[in-house]
Amino acid sequence: MNRTARTIASALVAGGLVLGLAACSEIADEAAKQVDKEVNEQYEVTYEITGKGIDSIDYHVDGGDATNPKVESVRKPALPWKKTVKLRGLLPPGVLPVAVDPAGVEMSCKIIYQGEVIKEQTAKGMAAATGCIAVSPVAG
């Protein structure tokens, strides 16, 4: 191969690399924008607890982060109990009712997002704890 052909081939390879890297950069930028959107997007869920003899309910609220969410508590709640909260991004919605009653307990929890139940659990027994923790509905 003569020198001119090698120069042209090298230029084509270099140009291809630049175009390829530019395309990768655009894909990476788009992925970063999607992550930022998901991390900052607010969403609303409703927690619902039914049963009898529930001593406490702990639930996630906006604040903290996905690995260490902010938790609020209600002691001796009136039942059925319902609470709508706003959360952000990848923070998982979560609710945990706890009861201890020698006569027996039955309880259930639900997490509702846009009118649909995204998580539901039931527990029975003398001491019962059930929890509903769902994946963030905006984590896509």
Side-chain angles (χ1 to χ4, degrees):
M1 186 183 269
N2 67 30
R3 186 171 188 189
T4 303
R6 272 187 271 188
T7 302
I8 291 171
S10 295
L12 288 173
V13 168
L17 285 174
V18 168
L19 289 174
L21 290 174
C24 286
S25 176
E26 287 176 26
I27 292 168
D29 288 347
E30 193 57 39
K33 286 177 188 174
Q34 183 63 31
V35 168
D36 286 345
K37 178 182 178 250
E38 290 176 3
V39 167
N40 294 315
E41 185 175 348
Q42 274 200 327
Y43 66 95
E44 198 171 86
V45 294
T46 299
Y47 302 129
E48 289 185 3
I49 305 296
T50 58
K52 63 177 184 164
I54 295 175
D55 296 310
S56 66
I57 301 171
D58 294 339
Y59 57 97
H60 293 173
V61 295
D62 197 13
D65 58 42
T67 60
N68 188 22
K70 182 177 176 185
V71 176
E72 290 188 3
S73 297
V74 174
R75 303 289 174 231
K76 298 289 184 189
L79 298 172
W81 180 85
K82 187 177 194 178
K83 178 80 174 181
T84 299
V85 298
K86 287 185 180 179
L87 300 171
R88 184 181 326 275
L90 303 177
L91 182 66
V95 61
L96 173 69
V98 176
V100 177
D101 187 340
V105 180
E106 184 173 331
M107 65 173 78
S108 67
C109 63
K110 289 182 186 177
I111 300 174
I112 300 164
Y113 172 69
Q114 295 183 342
E116 292 190 31
V117 175
I118 59 172
K119 188 69 175 186
E120 184 172 12
Q121 295 287 335
T122 299
K124 295 179 185 180
M126 189 169 74
T130 187
C132 290
I133 297 178
V135 174
S136 169
V138 299

